[in-house]
Structure formats: structure tokens, C-alpha cells
Amino acid sequence: MLFRSGGGGYDGGGLAITDAGPTLTDLVVSDNHLYNAYAVTGGGILVDGGTPTLVRVELRENTVEGALESVYGAGMYVVDSTVWLTDVRIVANETSHGSDGDTLGAGLSASSSTVYARRLEVIGNLGSWRDRKSTRLNSSHQIISYAVFCLKKK
């Protein structure tokens, strides 16, 4: 299954999971673009208060762009949630913003969450000048095995 959308909006460009626990298998979420003057989160997938399981999922070439405030997780943003990731690839996603705010975790950004990951690849994601991290796990608990993290050089 492929999730692809146009642009605009605030959160969850390809898919928003709020207070739900779906299992997503064999899924591609790509080419989603979110732009807003204020905070923007989850270009590919937003998980807010949920407990999803993702198996063989690829998040690629999603972008989030904010003019004034912070942007989080062009590939995936997880907040107040518990997620299980198995055989997940987060590739070539990009965050950018104007003069104020931060870009946090171009590929994967998690806040106040628990992330369980096995065979996770976070590769070639690009943040803007203030935060070039491909992954940011803030106030979060994580158990990650067999993972690859690689930052895209501009």
C-alpha cells in the first residue's frame, strides 16, 4: 500500500495516528509535504497518543517546512506514544524552516514516548542548519537493535 499526498497542513502528511493502535504492514509513505507558518510535525507519519506497530514500512522523501516555529520528524514524529518498529526504513526525508525555531530529527523524532525498534534504518535524512540530526529521541525511552543511522551530508 502507498500513502502519498499533496502539501499544506500541520501534522501527519501521509498518515496521522491519534489515540489508536493499528498494525501497518508492507506500507510505503512517500512524497508528502507539509508547510505551515507555525509548528509542523510528521511529514510521513504522525503518532500522537497511539500504540501502533509498523512492520516492513518505508518512509521516504517526505518534507516538513515551517516559516516561524519548529518542525519535527519529516519521516515520522512520535509524541506521548509507544511504537513498535520492525524492518522499518526511514530514508531521504528533510526538515527546513525560516529564521526562527528548530528542526528536530529529520528522519525520526520522538518526544515523551517509548520506541521499540528492530532492524531499523534511518539513512540520508537532512535537517536544516540548527539541527542536522537524522534522529532525535527527546525525553523518550528506546530499545533499538540491529539499527543503522546515517546522516545525509549537504
Side-chain angles (χ1 to χ4, degrees), residues 2-6 13-14 28-32 60-62:
L2 173 67
F3 282 87
R4 184 179 287 168
S5 76
V28 176
V29 180
S30 72
D31 300 313
N32 298 288
R60 69 172 181 240
E61 298 172 0
N62 299 288

Side-chain angles (χ1 to χ4, degrees), residues 57-111:
V57 172
E58 183 168 318
L59 307 170
R60 69 172 181 240
E61 298 172 0
N62 299 288
T63 61
V64 291
E65 181 180 0
L68 301 174
E69 300 215 9
S70 299
V71 296
Y72 307 96
M76 183 176 195
Y77 179 59
V78 179
V79 61
D80 298 325
S81 301
T82 299
V83 298
W84 288 266
L85 309 173
T86 303
D87 295 319
V88 171
R89 298 187 77 232
I90 303 174
V91 181
N93 300 283
E94 186 170 346
T95 59
S96 64
H97 66 82
S99 59
D100 296 325
D102 292 312
T103 61
L104 304 175
L108 171 64
S109 183
S111 181

Side-chain angles (χ1 to χ4, degrees), residues 8-141:
Y10 296 90
D11 304 310
L15 180 62
I17 300 168
T18 304
D19 298 323
T23 297
L24 305 173
T25 304
D26 297 323
L27 178 69
V28 176
V29 180
S30 72
D31 300 313
N32 298 288
H33 177 75
L34 292 179
Y35 172 82
N36 194 280
Y38 300 101
V40 183
T41 59
I45 296 178
L46 165 71
V47 181
D48 185 354
T51 57
T53 299
L54 282 69
V55 180
R56 293 183 308 275
V57 172
E58 183 168 318
L59 307 170
R60 69 172 181 240
E61 298 172 0
N62 299 288
T63 61
V64 291
E65 181 180 0
L68 301 174
E69 300 215 9
S70 299
V71 296
Y72 307 96
M76 183 176 195
Y77 179 59
V78 179
V79 61
D80 298 325
S81 301
T82 299
V83 298
W84 288 266
L85 309 173
T86 303
D87 295 319
V88 171
R89 298 187 77 232
I90 303 174
V91 181
N93 300 283
E94 186 170 346
T95 59
S96 64
H97 66 82
S99 59
D100 296 325
D102 292 312
T103 61
L104 304 175
L108 171 64
S109 183
S111 181
S112 301
S113 296
T114 301
V115 178
Y116 298 98
R118 185 161 188 199
R119 293 183 305 272
L120 171 67
E121 295 181 20
V122 184
I123 300 172
N125 299 285
L126 181 64
S128 67
W129 64 277
R130 282 195 185 179
D131 183 359
R132 295 196 177 274
K133 294 172 182 66
S134 66
T135 304
R136 180 177 287 267
L137 303 169
N138 185 36
S139 299
S140 296
H141 176 75

